[in-house]
Amino acid sequence: MLIPLLKAQPEANVSFRLTSITSCLALLASCGAYYTPVSFVAQGDQIIASGTIDETTLSAFEEVIAQNPEARTLVLQYIEGSLDDDANVIFSREVHRAGFDTVVPSNGLVASGGTDLFLAGNRRVLQPGACVGVHSWAGSGLVATDLPEDDPEHDRYLDYFKDIGVDEAFYWYTLYAAPADSMHWMNTAEANRFGLTTRGAPALSSATECDER
């Protein structure tokens, strides 16, 4: 089962990994401890990534690509979100700048900040059965959907999508796809509507399958 993360605000820099939404809401003070930072494993010309994005992710990525300079494909096996959205966009911009392709394998999953990372790829591939989750963000007493569209709190995400060449319409879509304490699993039509892949999206896994993954 996916453990959803609330997109973090810079003042808090904490998202809450949920063993279940209900239990975490009752234990907000302790939920931030339950996560595994992203780890990278090189396999030929690919780098396999799994975990939660935090402030250590960029340095770990730089270390693995320095040791494997031939690698240019980042396989996102299971990236459930980010602990720190500023760290996420910095890392994702570096993936884009370095010219990496991104792939979510058939048994893979990206959600929240992991989906933002997937979009940083030069070429983006979703294999049949992949899971792609999106939701809104909340933190520091703010709820994204309560803010006007010209509020500067949106700029972190809008600037990032502009930098990687993704239409800002995708950002606004994520805000209303699901609240911050839930997750919407995208279907093929939605993936194609927002150009998530560079070659057309295949059949993605159902919401039930993604929840169990």
Side-chain angles (χ1 to χ4, degrees):
M1 176 181 179
L2 175 73
I3 304 172
L5 296 175
L6 306 181
K7 284 193 173 182
Q9 289 303 288
E11 297 87 348
N13 281 341
V14 174
S15 294
F16 302 106
R17 186 176 183 176
L18 312 181
T19 52
S20 72
I21 293 171
T22 302
S23 62
C24 190
L25 289 176
L27 296 170
L28 290 179
S30 61
C31 287
Y34 298 102
Y35 82 98
T36 301
V38 173
S39 61
F40 299 99
V41 177
Q43 294 184 0
D45 63 352
Q46 297 183 337
I47 294 173
I48 317 299
S50 293
T52 300
I53 299 165
D54 67 6
E55 72 281 356
T56 70
T57 304
L58 178 58
S59 60
F61 178 69
E62 291 173 336
E63 181 177 346
V64 74
I65 63 174
Q67 296 171 352
N68 301 274
E70 73 285 356
R72 279 297 175 267
T73 299
L74 184 61
V75 179
L76 305 177
Q77 182 64 49
Y78 196 95
I79 307 293
E80 59 193 347
S82 62
L83 190 72
D84 180 333
D85 276 3
D86 287 332
N88 187 27
V89 296
I90 291 170
F91 167 55
S92 299
R93 279 191 174 98
E94 179 58 24
V95 170
H96 184 74
R97 186 203 65 76
F100 271 76
D101 299 334
T102 52
V103 176
V104 183
S106 295
N107 62 347
L109 178 151
V110 292
S112 188
T115 300
D116 297 342
L117 169 61
F118 170 70
L119 290 170
N122 179 36
R123 292 187 300 173
R124 304 184 298 273
V125 177
L126 296 173
Q127 293 184 350
C131 291
V132 181
V134 295
H135 64 175
S136 185
W137 59 260
S140 299
L142 300 176
V143 177
T145 51
D146 291 343
L147 302 175
E149 291 192 358
D150 61 354
D151 192 291
E153 291 290 341
H154 295 299
D155 291 348
R156 176 187 306 100
Y157 313 104
L158 293 174
D159 291 346
Y160 167 67
F161 286 131
K162 180 179 179 180
D163 289 347
I164 64 172
V166 172
D167 194 313
E168 69 175 37
F170 177 72
Y171 170 68
W172 302 115
Y173 155 79
T174 67
L175 298 191
Y176 294 94
D181 60 357
S182 185
M183 193 67 66
H184 171 72
W185 300 108
M186 297 182 70
N187 59 37
T188 301
E190 291 169 326
N192 284 325
R193 174 186 171 191
F194 293 104
L196 261 63
T197 69
T198 50
R199 59 176 73 170
L204 303 177
S205 281
S206 68
T208 299
E209 292 170 324
C210 293
D211 282 338
E212 294 176 349
R213 187 171 294 179

